[in-house]
Amino acid sequence: SKIIRSDIHVILDDVLIPKTGGSPTNRVRVLAQGKGEWLTVPIQRESGVNYRVCEVSPVDDWKPMLLNKIFNCYRKSRYFDITHALLERLWTFNAKKLSEFNIHANEAILSCLVEEKPRVVKSSDLLIKNTGSKRLVEIVQAVGGTTYLCGDGSSSYLDEADFSNAGISLIYTKDRKSTRLNS
């Protein structure tokens, strides 16, 4: 919903991925037989080495296993034929890097949900040097934005003063007054 409500969606493809385990970059939690289960795209990496999201590649032959798992979990679901057809189209996209696949998947899914998609920008193209809240402020400024749509849990780590000092408004996702931000 954050992407749909935005005019510009910045994909953080130049941030570090955790050294081990999964992250929202390569996994998603789904409902399978009534309980939560992770769908994970296995990635190639050496344990203990820091990689940026745009540097990691999926392991070979990961797609059939995940597509089969989705099929088995959801084949009796309403609208499965439409969803399965979309997934099969996504699976035919050959991306060398995980971030390329994720960007392609986001855009394909958005095409099914909305007529007017937000502009997509990769953070690696912005050459941002700051970290934390200052990084987010610099990203918003780099794309000409005036408002940052942040997740409900982000108040625990965002420095709201950084945004205020830069003249950038914050809207938390729980505030769903408008469908589009127009900024």
Side-chain angles (χ1 to χ4, degrees), residues 28 30 37-42 61-76 80-93 101:
V28 63
V30 297
E37 186 175 323
W38 290 106
L39 288 181
T40 304
V41 175
D61 298 327
W62 64 274
K63 292 177 183 179
M65 176 191 66
L66 249 56
L67 193 58
N68 188 48
K69 193 173 197 179
I70 293 168
F71 180 81
N72 288 331
C73 289
Y74 293 102
R75 68 178 174 235
K76 295 179 183 175
F80 179 74
D81 292 341
I82 296 167
T83 306
H84 194 259
L86 171 64
L87 289 173
E88 285 183 328
R89 284 198 317 270
L90 292 179
W91 265 226
T92 62
F93 180 74
F101 178 80

Side-chain angles (χ1 to χ4, degrees), residues 141-158:
Q141 292 172 328
V143 298
T146 59
T147 304
Y148 178 71
L149 180 60
C150 39
D152 295 339
S154 59
S155 61
S156 64
Y157 64 84
L158 283 182

Side-chain angles (χ1 to χ4, degrees), residues 123-175:
S123 60
S124 60
D125 291 339
L126 301 176
L127 306 174
I128 304 297
K129 299 297 180 204
N130 280 314
T131 60
S133 292
K134 288 181 177 25
R135 174 182 176 76
L136 297 174
V137 166
E138 193 176 347
I139 288 171
V140 173
Q141 292 172 328
V143 298
T146 59
T147 304
Y148 178 71
L149 180 60
C150 39
D152 295 339
S154 59
S155 61
S156 64
Y157 64 84
L158 283 182
D159 185 346
E160 293 183 1
D162 288 339
F163 291 89
S164 178
N165 293 338
I168 297 171
S169 302
L170 290 175
I171 296 179
Y172 288 89
T173 54
K174 64 183 172 205
D175 178 16

Side-chain angles (χ1 to χ4, degrees), residues 1-9 106 110 118 120 149 180:
S1 73
K2 282 176 62 176
I3 297 171
I4 291 171
R5 293 179 64 198
S6 301
D7 295 316
I8 301 170
H9 174 60
N106 279 342
L110 281 172
V120 176
L149 180 60
R180 298 283 292 187

